[in-house]
Amino acid sequence: NAGVTQTPKFRVLKTGQSMTLLCAQDMNHEYMYWYRQDPGMGLRLIHYSVGEGTTAKGEVPDGYNVSRLKKQNFLLGLESAAPSQTSVYFCASSYMAVTLSSGLTQYFGPGTRLLVL
Amino acid sequence: AQKITQTQPGMFVQEKEAVTLDCTYDTSDQSYGLFWYKQPSSGEMIFLIYQGSYDEQNATEGRYSLNFQKARKSANLVISASQLGDSAMYFCAMRESFTPHAGGTSYGKLTFGQGTILTVHP
């Protein structure tokens, strides 16, 4: 049981290049999320998905696109990378829950370090 | 809008002592959830403990307990008997609301605080 995995672990891009970050989970979770973490700041939500084929914007969606064609995968795309997108990117997943007591705990992947030059 | 504030950029504690990491939150919602995550130097995010806004008792998980004071809108993390391996960044986070009694669903989006770096001295 791998949990949440992210590919790649580290990447260097030049300004204007594109790339896709892959997140995969094997826990049959309905919900998936993409966050970015910058120095001195907590994680900020980029996009999220509440099910296969559905996505929604989070707090900082500009410059990113996402897709959820399969329940277990959530892709984050950068069409034209900018230095401001240098960050650590975390994917997370959780069950859908209908009661407060379930907590809706999010389980995180190991992160992807992205450097845009 | 929801907001989480962690006012302690860094904390130091002696091994085997207890330490409290502060977290205050701001929300107009009646139902919400509060989480603490640990991020060691290796970078992964590790879930520690959860408290629901309707939970009357403070959550506990082993050496971790959450001191939940709803009226003060605080959700402090208490680590008892600190260990060297507790040295890490700690994040407080709040989940958006939903209506449990109506059977509503929550998308579970989390808002994070800025984090507190905890250093445990031998």
Side-chain angles (χ1 to χ4, degrees):
Chain A
N1 189 337
V4 181
T5 58
Q6 292 182 232
T7 310
K9 290 185 171 54
F10 177 71
R11 184 76 182 269
V12 179
L13 287 180
K14 294 181 179 178
T15 298
Q17 286 185 319
S18 63
M19 78 164 294
T20 299
L21 282 67
L22 170 64
C23 175
Q25 53 94 4
D26 61 2
M27 296 176 281
N28 203 33
H29 286 168
E30 290 84 3
Y31 298 167
M32 297 187 75
Y33 313 84
W34 275 108
Y35 295 89
R36 61 176 288 173
Q37 183 180 24
D38 301 299
M41 304 181 73
L43 278 69
R44 292 182 294 168
L45 183 66
I46 305 171
H47 286 281
Y48 65 101
S49 168
V50 301
E52 186 176 321
T54 68
T55 63
K57 294 180 180 180
E59 182 185 352
V60 288
D62 294 341
Y64 306 96
N65 57 75
V66 289
S67 64
R68 184 119 180 252
L69 300 180
K70 294 183 178 180
K71 185 177 183 179
Q72 62 268 35
N73 295 338
F74 195 28
L75 305 179
L76 178 70
L78 287 73
E79 290 187 348
S80 180
S84 61
Q85 294 178 304
T86 294
S87 188
V88 180
Y89 292 86
F90 285 97
C91 176
S93 69
S94 71
Y95 285 113
M96 179 182 72
V98 294
T99 64
L100 187 62
S101 62
S102 67
L104 264 184
T105 300
Q106 292 187 16
Y107 296 92
F108 284 80
T112 294
R113 292 185 177 274
L114 177 65
L115 175 62
V116 183
L117 302 175
Chain B
Q2 299 181 333
K3 186 177 179 181
I4 293 282
T5 303
Q6 295 179 251
T7 57
Q8 307 156 314
M11 287 287 287
F12 296 88
V13 66
Q14 204 73 25
E15 194 178 9
K16 299 180 184 178
E17 307 244 320
V19 63
T20 298
L21 306 184
D22 294 341
C23 173
T24 58
Y25 59 91
D26 185 22
T27 181
S28 57
D29 297 330
Q30 295 302 308
S31 61
Y32 48 89
L34 295 156
F35 297 79
W36 278 92
Y37 284 86
K38 172 184 178 182
Q39 186 178 41
S41 57
S42 52
E44 71 267 32
M45 295 287 288
I46 302 168
F47 164 72
L48 294 178
I49 196 166
Y50 164 79
Q51 178 91 37
S53 61
Y54 291 113
D55 295 338
E56 294 185 353
Q57 291 194 334
N58 287 341
T60 60
E61 289 286 347
R63 294 187 298 111
Y64 304 108
S65 60
L66 200 153
N67 185 359
F68 181 46
Q69 298 190 39
K70 196 170 182 177
R72 294 186 178 184
K73 292 188 175 179
S74 73
N76 298 338
L77 177 70
V78 180
I79 305 175
S80 63
S82 298
Q83 301 172 356
L84 296 178
D86 293 335
S87 293
M89 176 80 88
Y90 289 81
F91 289 100
C92 180
M94 179 165 59
R95 189 201 64 215
E96 64 171 4
S97 68
F98 63 95
T99 308
H101 298 295
T105 56
S106 169
Y107 296 142
K109 293 183 289 181
L110 291 177
T111 300
F112 284 82
Q114 301 95 324
T116 296
I117 299 175
L118 175 66
T119 303
V120 180
H121 289 303

